[in-house]
Structures are given as structure tokens and as C-alpha cells.
Amino acid sequence: MDPASEVEYEPRSVKEVLAEMKDTAELLIDLSFSAVLNGSDDIATEVLDLEDRMDVLQLQARMSLLMAARSPDDAEELAPVLGVVGAAEKISDAAGDIAKVVLEDIGLPEAMRASLPEAIETLLRAEVVDGSELEGTTLGALNLETETGVRVIAIHRGGDWLLNPDRDTDLRSGDRLLLRGPDEGIATVYEAATGTAYESPEPPTDDDADLERAVDSIVLMKNMSELAVDLAYGSVLFDSEGVAEEVVELEAEVDALQSRFEAWVLRAAAQTDDPVSLRGLVHLANSTEVISDAAVEISEGVLRGLGTHPVVEQALEESDEVIVRVEVAAGSRFDGTTLGDERVETETGMRVIAVRRPPADWVISPGPATELGAGDVLLAKGTRSSAERLRELTS
């Protein structure tokens, strides 16, 4: 944040600030890895701009919380909220450090960029040009998710970010769209927006086994850290100690991966002509590990039995991308099938991040073969409209 800038207290709802912090932190993770994937200084600069915005948000949140604490009981209730604020700020800082890998030309092996598309489910930025077939239409009219499997997760317009735009959001010339989806769909939407063909990154040509293992470790660390953040918010929203404990387990696995990563990088450095080119990998791994640590901080209040403050619960429910819990009803479409058979993410737009089996068993990061039955509880993430569709199919 610019040290010359001033941040003054303003009577803004803590719930509103927390919701914006959550959405911004999640967008920052996507944007920072997108900057690495595309080697884009422009996207990396946008990450740092959003990081500055997050600095202001966390100060506003802390000021409002200090104004609200008037007794020891208030302090005890608000302590977990401060933990959520601090964790979002750490995620923001980690994303900024990832962006600096690009801006400061710290160096990354080509194998890293070629491996990232799988890690971030192909995430790309596309600018809507004058005369584009997308210009002047709404996302609902385009029906992109159904037609291509691609979702517009954010729009950068005139210096402002529209996070998780909905079906009524119109597209304008100059809009910079952040797209997520399968390669084929991404190529279609990118060409429609920009008028030029999309070229996916070339596959890696490096045959260094240790370097390949190191890159694979970062890809897995990134996925696990994102899952940990999603589960952490889920544990807070549903005051679930079981989910919070899974966050701790994921953080421990990320730590173990980082240890193995360090060994593989050191071995690879001995075999490469330019060991300095591996510095960026080290920065990525360190920043990704910070994100998993922040996830534990989000769920700290639940782990310590302090419960969930209503303001946090309301903020999570009103954020642009929501986490919902739905139970599979007996005789519903999802009773006796699998996630893959029902094509849940394609059909509903919701990503199932965990399944709880009665009485208390959790399936974390379920896959297409995960079976569903009556009484199973799905923890899923997506837009509000997508959440309603999921509820219809499970009831």
C-alpha cells in the first residue's frame, strides 16, 4: 500500500467489508497464478492494485471491530473475526508475492507455465474488442456456461472489478474478462471476445525428472491450498469442527509437500545450466504455503470452540461466490448415483468441495466416481443461481 495514502474510519458495515475481502482474496489467488501462466505484467500489476485495495479493506474492518468491542465478552466474540480479517490479508500478500515473480523477472522454468493450465482449470484474460459478438449482450443471453462450459468469474472495467458477475451483467467494449473453463470452451469464448485465436501454452520439453517432480508439487500445493481456503470458509459458515480439522490436515500435507519440493529443487539445481532460473519456483512454493496457513487461521475460532460470529456468517452468505450445504433427499435425482454420472459442475455450475457421509465421515475433494446417497451432505461452491439449481436436484 502507498505509505502516503491515508485511511480514515468510516461507518461501513463489517459484514460488507468481510464479504468484499473474501471475494477479493479468492480472485487474487486466481489472478496471481494467471499472471504466472501467461507471463503477463498487466495481470500481475492488477494483482498488486487489488492487494492495495485489500490493505484498505483490512484496516477498515479492524477499525470497525475496535469500535464494536466494549467489554471482555465482546472481545472474545470478535477475536475470531479478526482472525478471518488477518487471514484474508495474508492470502492477499501471498498473491502479491506470486505476482512479483512475473514483474521482477525472478525466473521460472518453462515446465512451470506448461503445467499450470491444469492446476487452474485453464484461467485466461480476454478483452472485449469493438465489434465483438459479445459486446452489448448480457451473460444470461450468451448462456456461456451451458454452451461452452466457460464461466466469467470477474470483469475489470474502467479501473473497477466486478466480482462473480451474474446473468444480468452486460458486456462492453474494453471489458477485460477473466475466464475459467475447459480448453475447448476457453478458445471459443476468447476468439469471440478478442477476434483472435487462442494459443494454449506448449507442453514442457524439459526431461529433468527432479524438476518435473518439483513443478508437480507446486501444482498440487496450489490445488490443496485453494481447497483448504474453501473448506475453512465452509467450516466457519456451518460452525463445523469436522471440516475445520480437515483444513488442518490439508495444511500439514502442504507443509510435507513443500519439504519434498525443496529437496527436488536442490537436486534439479545441480543438473541445470542456470540454477538461478529456479528462484521463481521457490517463491511460488513459499507463497502457496502461506495461503494454506491462512486457511487454518480462518477456521481457528471453530477449532477452539469459539463458534462463528453472526457477522461472519452473514458476510459469507452474502459474498458473490457462496458456499452452500445441501442434503441429498431420499428418492431425489442424486440418490444412488455419482458426481460424474450427474455431471454436477456442468449441470449446476456448483463445484462440490466435500461430501459428509452419515454419521460424520468426510470425503474431501470428491471426484467423478464419488457415490451419493440419501442423507449425504454436499458442501459446494458457486453462484447463488447455481446453488438454487443444486438444491432443486437434491431435494
Side-chain angles (χ1 to χ4, degrees):
M1 184 171 64
D2 182 358
S5 63
E6 294 184 0
V7 180
E8 297 182 352
Y9 170 74
E10 57 182 77
R12 187 181 177 191
S13 163
V14 175
K15 176 185 68 177
E16 179 185 341
V17 176
L18 286 176
E20 186 175 348
M21 289 187 75
K22 171 187 174 290
D23 291 331
T24 303
E26 292 174 339
L27 176 60
L28 276 166
I29 296 174
D30 282 335
L31 276 179
S32 60
F33 277 91
S34 179
V36 172
L37 167 62
N38 295 289
S40 171
D41 286 358
D42 289 341
I43 297 178
T45 299
E46 289 172 353
V47 170
L48 296 187
D49 288 344
L50 275 173
E51 185 187 3
D52 283 344
R53 174 60 183 160
M54 183 69 91
D55 288 340
V56 173
L57 289 172
Q58 65 90 13
L59 283 173
Q60 290 177 337
R62 291 179 191 278
M63 290 176 187
S64 296
L65 290 170
L66 287 170
M67 293 289 290
R70 295 181 174 84
S71 69
D73 287 343
D74 288 342
E76 182 176 314
E77 289 183 0
L78 293 173
V81 185
L82 282 170
V84 173
V85 170
E89 183 189 9
K90 285 186 178 180
I91 293 172
S92 168
D93 291 342
D97 289 340
I98 292 171
K100 289 172 186 174
V101 171
V102 177
L103 290 173
E104 298 176 6
D105 294 321
I106 293 176
L108 282 170
E110 286 305 313
M112 184 73 243
R113 290 198 175 97
S115 297
L116 274 177
E118 180 181 352
I120 59 177
E121 304 173 291
T122 306
L123 189 141
L124 188 69
R125 190 184 69 160
E127 183 169 337
V128 178
V129 298
D130 286 333
S132 162
E133 61 187 88
L134 304 187
E135 183 184 4
T137 57
T138 64
L139 292 177
L142 289 169
N143 204 20
L144 290 179
E145 286 189 67
T146 300
E147 297 294 332
T148 67
V150 174
R151 185 161 72 90
V152 180
I153 63 175
I155 299 174
H156 196 188
R157 174 184 295 165
D160 294 325
W161 280 98
L162 306 178
L163 305 182
N164 293 301
D166 59 26
R167 60 179 293 104
D168 296 323
T169 303
D170 64 314
L171 301 182
R172 307 172 188 176
S173 175
D175 282 353
R176 294 199 290 264
L177 314 179
L178 194 62
L179 310 172
R180 170 183 277 163
D183 274 342
E184 300 82 3
I186 284 283
T188 300
V189 178
Y190 182 86
E191 186 167 354
T194 66
T196 59
Y198 167 63
E199 297 182 6
S200 59
E202 293 293 327
T205 56
D206 201 313
D207 58 358
D208 186 329
D210 289 317
L211 179 58
E212 184 177 344
R213 292 190 188 99
V215 169
D216 287 346
S217 293
I218 289 184
V219 169
L220 186 54
M221 287 172 65
K222 190 265 183 186
N223 289 337
M224 293 175 70
S225 294
E226 275 196 307
L227 175 61
V229 172
D230 287 341
L231 289 176
Y233 281 122
S235 73
V236 171
L237 181 59
F238 305 115
D239 196 13
S240 172
E241 187 175 346
V243 176
E245 288 172 351
E246 293 291 348
V247 174
V248 175
E249 291 293 328
L250 281 170
E251 191 272 337
E253 289 186 41
V254 171
D255 285 347
L257 274 171
Q258 186 181 28
S259 296
R260 293 197 291 272
F261 158 83
E262 290 169 351
W264 287 323
V265 166
L266 290 173
R267 288 174 184 162
Q271 301 171 31
T272 184
D273 294 333
D274 182 18
V276 176
S277 67
L278 303 181
R279 287 176 59 219
L281 282 179
V282 177
H283 282 257
L284 279 178
N286 289 341
S287 297
T288 305
E289 195 270 337
V290 168
I291 293 172
S292 71
D293 289 343
V296 175
E297 290 188 24
I298 292 171
S299 54
E300 188 77 19
V302 176
L303 288 167
R304 297 187 179 278
L306 297 178
T308 300
H309 194 282
V311 73
V312 178
E313 182 178 349
Q314 292 165 12
L316 295 181
E317 289 175 344
E318 296 183 15
S319 62
D320 289 323
E321 194 167 42
V322 297
I323 296 174
V324 298
R325 181 176 60 180
V326 296
E327 182 173 341
V328 177
S332 69
R333 176 171 159 178
F334 280 18
D335 184 9
T337 186
T338 67
L339 289 175
D341 288 341
E342 295 304 319
R343 302 172 67 230
V344 174
E345 188 164 359
T346 301
E347 292 293 327
T348 68
M350 296 294 289
R351 179 166 60 89
V352 179
I353 58 179
V355 178
R356 190 187 69 187
R357 298 260 167 74
D361 293 330
W362 284 95
V363 179
I364 301 301
S365 196
T370 301
E371 297 178 350
L372 303 177
D376 285 350
V377 174
L378 312 184
L379 202 63
K381 181 179 179 182
T383 62
R384 288 187 182 83
S385 58
S386 298
E388 289 305 314
R389 175 62 176 159
L390 181 63
R391 288 192 179 98
E392 290 174 5
L393 296 177
T394 54
S395 61

